Structure formats: C-alpha cells, structure tokens
Amino acid sequence: MAIDAPRDRRAAAPARPVRAAFALAAAAALCGCVVGPDFQRPDAAPPPAWEAVSAPVPPAAEMSGLASRPVARAFDGRRWWSVFADPALDRLVDEAVRQNLDLQTAALRIEEARAQLVAAKSEGEPALSGDAVAGRQRMSENGIAGALGAGGAQPAPSPYGDLYQIGFDATWELDLWGKARRVVEAERAGVESAEQARGDAQISLTAEVARTYLALRGYQRQRAIAAADVDDQRRLLRLTQSRSANGFAAEADAVAQQAQLSSALAQLPPIDRSITQAANRLALLLALPPGALNDRLGPEPAAAAAPLPPEVPVGLPGDLLRRRPDVMKSEAELRAATAKVGQAKAQLFPSIELGGFGGLQATHANDLGDWASRFWIGGLQVSIPIFEGGKLKAQIRTADAQMREAALGYRSTVLQAVHDANGAIDAYAQEQRHASALARQADDARRSRDLMRERWRSGFASLVDVLGVERQLRQTDRQALQSAVAAQTDLVALYKALGGDWGAPDPGTAAH
C-alpha cells in the first residue's frame, strides 16, 4: 500500500488539466451567449411619394422641374452648391468646410468616440501588468515575529528585513453573457452617431454659407437698383424744379418730388446694413474676423445670377432614411440604447474572472535569479449578485425606457425629415410660380418702357413720363430680384432637407 498510493496520486494528476480544459471549453461555449434585445429599426416608413410634387408646375423656360423618382447618385450632393455656377461661392464653401470651428469640434468628437470604442474593446481582452518591489520593512516585535522568540528556545528574529520582488499579474473576465460585446456594440454605434453628427453639421454649414452668400448678392443687386432709382429721382427733381421755375409746374410738384427723392435715399441705409451683416455672417462661418471678406466679395456681384438648374431630382421620401445624417444619427443612437439594455441585463448573471500572479521574490537582491525564488498564484473568481437592493433591475428598467425613448426619437426624426423635405419642395414650387408671374410682369413693364421711349422720341411724351415708366420698371425688377433670391434660398433649403450625399469622399475635410 505504501508503494501503490503514490502511483495512484500520479495517475490522478493528469486529470486536473483535463478538467481545467473542459471547464475552459464550457466557459468558451457560454461566451457565445448574448443577453438582451437585438437592434431592429422601428416602423417609421415615410409616405411613398411627395405631396408637393403632385401639384403641377406651370411650364416656363426659366423654371425648374421637380423629379420625383428613386435617386441614388443622381446629383453630386457633396457639392450641390455648384448648381449656382459661382466660383466665389465654391471657394467660400471649401474654406468654410476647412476652417469652421463647429465642424472641427464635430470632427474631434468623432476622434473621442473612436477612442472610447478602442477602450471598450480592451475590456473583453486579457490584461497583463508587471510590477517590481525593492524595499526595507520592519515587523512588529509584539506581533508574530516577537511571538516566535517568546519561548526562549531560539532568539527572536530581527524585526528588520529586505524584500525584492518582480512579478506579473494577468486577469481575464470571461464574456459569458455578452456584456463586453454589448459595450462594444454601443460604442460602435456612438462612433456612427458622431460621424453622422458631423455630416449633419457639414450640410447645415454649407447650406448656411450658400444662403448667406446668395442673400448678400441679392442685397448688392438690390442696392444697385435702389441707387439707379435715386439717380432717376434726382433727374426728375431737376426737371420739376426747372419747370416750376419757368412756370410750367407748381412749386408743390417740386416739393413732392423732393419727398420722393428723400424716400429713395432712405432705402439705401437698410440695404447697406443688410450687406454688412451678411458679409460678417459669412466671415463668422469661415472663422474670420468681421470685415475680412469685404475686399473679396466686392461692392457688387461681378456677374448676373446663374439660372436655376433645369431639374431638381428630389427622389422619393424613402431616400431620406439613407441620405439625411440626422435620421442615420438617430438610428445609431437607437442602436446604442438597444445594446445598453443587454449590457444592463448581463449584470444579473454571474461573472467569472481568470487570474494569475507570479514572479520572483527574495530577501536578497542576489537571490532573485535563483529558480527557488519563483512563486505563482492562479485560479478563478466567481461573482454572483445575490442582493443589490433592486439596483440592477432598476438599471434594466432605465435602459429599457431609454431604448423606447430613442425609438420614439427616431420616428420623430423621420417624420420631421419628411415634413422638412415636403415643405421645402412646396416652397420651391410656389416660388417658381411667383417668379413666373413676376417674369411676365417684368416683360410687360419693359415693353411699356420701350413704347414710352418711342413716344418721347416722337414728341408725344415728356421725359418725366419716360422716367416714371422706368421707375415702375425698377420696382418690378426689385420684386423679381427678391423672388429670384427667395427661389435660390428655397433651393438651398431643398438640398439641405434632402440631405445630400455628404458621405462621399470629401477633399475639404475639416482640419484641426
């Protein structure tokens, strides 16, 4: 029996690695389990067609159509502002994308989200750390060291001693219920949300630059019309004063004409203020000080406004789900909220952490290299939540409520996007009708002016009559200009509402 007993122990020893391997295999199989709901996009289907497109637009050479058909890459939404054929606008938008502070902030948020994703991925991986200790210690003489020498059989050991240690610590928490994977899923959705937020900010920025620039050019053209009206009023005043001095008109006519001139002059300061405000607004969008763009923009536009595009492919309402960044951002937020529900539920289940610590330890530094100085500790730790006072279940209810809130937010965002796009389509179509009517009115006014000039050359009309007709023509041109600017800004709002194609490779990425 004395010989067989050691043989039995040696035979039983290999069973320990087998059992450990079996336990690890079982744990690895459990790591495939993931608790909590999987992401599903809520039922927030937009209508099959736009309501505003169904209204017919009267045909005219100067009007644009609205094509409602599926659109994937029908136009370069990344540079949609190129439809205005204005190189100055192109340069301003490119500089704004590079220099705008809000866009750079959004780019930094993407970096933050990506760093958080890397940190989340590391939570499910084994961790290894090393440490080294070299020091001197003193033990209590009234403690264990003093008790060892209290019997008098041997002298009490010295309370002073040295300790040298080099070790490594390894831990790994098994992801049995998918908690770490849910964390990674939520952080990955956070990266998507940050990227879509930057896309939304870029679309808003480009739209604001285009709208402000077009308004500025409209103010400059409006000022040119107002200045021409002032010149006409001065000419009429000189004629009226001359006729009054020669007895062909009453003095009251000259006073009335002076009032008309004062009224025309009073229109210039508000226009100048609008020009200054628009230029400063552009400078702010480009992260420049006030007045920095005055020389570049000039006192008036170098060329006439380009005609609107012959067709605007608005696509179908369903295209907004993959083209508007705010919709995709809301979807990413819902995906993150759904993953956090599984993360909270995984807290209810036991957690297993494998760990080990080993190294070299000695009381003399020269002994650290001896094989006898080695030590190690290995094992696993199981943590089971028994009583948490309802905290874990409350966290699950909180995560579930946040998930349902994010689902409602997604549906609300889709609905708002559909309303924005439909309203922009309707506004653009209505302004087209307005512009068509004003274009016909301007044509009639020009024919009236030409006829009056012929009558003046023939001696059947006075110069006062000619200047009066030209003034009416300028008022019509002012209204047509306002309508043209409104149509341009409505087109900007339409492109913004459609979402564009901001996800395409963009050379003008914000630098920081």
Side-chain angles (χ1 to χ4, degrees):
M1 294 296 295
I3 298 176
D4 294 339
R7 185 182 304 155
D8 294 338
R9 286 195 297 268
R10 286 194 300 268
R16 294 180 180 177
V18 174
R19 289 195 297 267
F22 179 78
L24 289 176
L30 287 175
C31 287
C33 301
V34 179
V35 298
D38 294 328
F39 170 75
Q40 292 182 354
R41 183 182 291 112
D43 185 12
W50 301 111
E51 179 185 6
V53 179
S54 60
V57 179
E62 69 279 0
M63 295 181 59
S64 303
L66 298 171
S68 179
R69 59 173 181 268
V71 173
R73 303 280 178 173
F75 68 97
D76 187 4
R78 181 171 54 87
R79 299 189 63 85
W80 54 264
W81 54 89
S82 60
V83 300
F84 297 107
D86 193 328
L89 175 59
D90 296 341
R91 290 191 295 269
L92 288 174
V93 172
D94 291 340
E95 291 183 23
V97 171
R98 291 193 304 269
Q99 301 172 184
N100 183 262
L101 300 181
D102 293 337
L103 203 58
Q104 294 185 37
T105 302
L108 290 176
R109 291 197 180 101
I110 296 178
E111 291 189 10
E112 295 174 9
R114 288 173 178 171
Q116 292 174 358
L117 175 59
V118 173
K121 289 181 178 179
S122 65
E123 292 294 332
E125 301 294 334
L128 178 63
S129 61
D131 64 85
V133 177
R136 186 169 178 79
Q137 62 183 354
R138 184 187 188 283
M139 294 180 292
S140 173
E141 297 181 15
N142 295 327
I144 299 177
L148 292 176
Q154 56 183 357
S158 174
Y160 296 96
D162 297 331
L163 178 63
Y164 299 92
Q165 178 176 305
I166 298 177
F168 296 92
D169 187 6
T171 58
W172 181 26
E173 182 179 355
L174 302 180
D175 190 19
L176 300 180
W177 320 110
K179 180 177 66 175
R181 279 166 285 175
R182 290 301 190 187
V183 173
V184 172
E185 181 181 354
E187 295 299 336
R188 185 174 288 113
V191 173
E192 176 71 15
S193 176
E195 292 174 348
Q196 301 297 342
R198 184 192 181 278
D200 191 25
Q202 181 169 332
I203 288 180
S204 299
L205 172 64
T206 55
E208 185 63 18
V209 170
R211 187 195 67 80
T212 306
Y213 175 81
L214 294 173
L216 171 63
R217 293 310 193 191
Y219 292 140
Q220 291 175 337
R221 293 187 175 94
Q222 185 178 349
R223 194 190 190 286
I225 295 175
D229 187 39
V230 169
D231 293 339
D232 289 345
Q233 294 299 330
R234 284 174 176 164
R235 294 174 61 187
L236 283 174
L237 178 61
R238 289 194 295 267
L239 290 174
T240 305
Q241 289 175 343
S242 176
R243 295 180 63 183
S244 175
N246 295 324
F248 294 102
E251 184 178 359
D253 295 339
V255 174
Q257 184 57 39
Q258 180 64 50
Q260 292 291 334
L261 175 60
S262 299
S263 176
L265 288 172
Q267 295 179 0
L268 294 178
I271 298 177
D272 292 337
R273 183 178 66 249
S274 298
I275 292 175
T276 302
Q277 291 176 347
N280 290 338
R281 175 61 180 165
L282 276 177
L284 177 61
L285 294 174
L286 270 66
L288 297 174
L293 298 176
N294 292 343
D295 295 337
R296 294 173 53 183
L297 297 175
E300 61 184 15
L308 297 179
E311 185 180 71
V312 180
V314 298
L316 298 176
D319 296 331
L320 296 180
L321 300 181
R322 56 186 175 85
R323 291 176 58 187
R324 278 192 53 137
D326 57 342
V327 174
M328 293 184 285
K329 175 178 178 293
S330 181
E331 180 180 335
E333 291 174 350
L334 175 57
R335 187 181 297 110
T338 304
K340 289 180 180 179
V341 174
Q343 178 184 351
K345 288 186 176 181
Q347 300 288 344
L348 293 175
F349 297 90
S351 62
I352 299 179
E353 179 177 321
L354 302 178
F357 177 71
L360 301 173
Q361 187 181 77
T363 57
H364 298 282
N366 296 332
D367 296 336
L368 281 177
D370 295 343
W371 184 246
S373 299
R374 73 187 186 281
F375 74 96
W376 60 267
I377 302 174
L380 59 86
Q381 177 181 351
V382 180
S383 299
I384 303 175
I386 298 177
F387 179 74
E388 297 289 343
K391 181 182 70 174
L392 298 181
K393 293 184 177 180
Q395 291 176 350
I396 294 175
R397 291 195 300 269
T398 300
D400 184 71
Q402 292 174 347
M403 180 188 66
R404 288 183 281 130
E405 180 182 356
L408 292 177
Y410 173 78
R411 295 176 58 185
S412 176
T413 303
V414 172
L415 184 63
Q416 185 64 46
V418 173
H419 276 274
D420 289 344
N422 194 82
I425 293 172
D426 182 69
Y428 184 65
Q430 294 295 341
E431 196 58 46
Q432 290 290 322
R433 298 183 179 93
H434 187 206
S436 177
L438 289 176
R440 291 192 296 268
Q441 181 181 354
D443 291 340
D444 295 339
R446 288 186 178 86
R447 285 195 297 268
S448 177
R449 179 200 59 185
D450 295 340
L451 292 174
M452 186 59 68
R453 286 179 175 177
E454 291 295 332
R455 288 171 56 85
W456 175 65
R457 294 189 185 97
S458 302
F460 295 103
S462 65
L463 184 58
V464 175
D465 296 332
V466 174
L467 293 177
V469 172
E470 289 183 350
R471 184 189 176 200
Q472 293 178 356
L473 176 59
R474 286 195 176 89
Q475 291 178 350
T476 304
D477 288 340
R478 184 182 297 109
Q479 295 176 354
L481 173 62
Q482 293 174 351
S483 178
V485 174
Q488 290 176 335
T489 54
D490 287 341
L491 182 58
V492 171
L494 177 57
Y495 278 121
K496 179 183 178 182
L498 294 177
D501 187 18
W502 71 269
D506 190 351
T509 304
H512 47 81

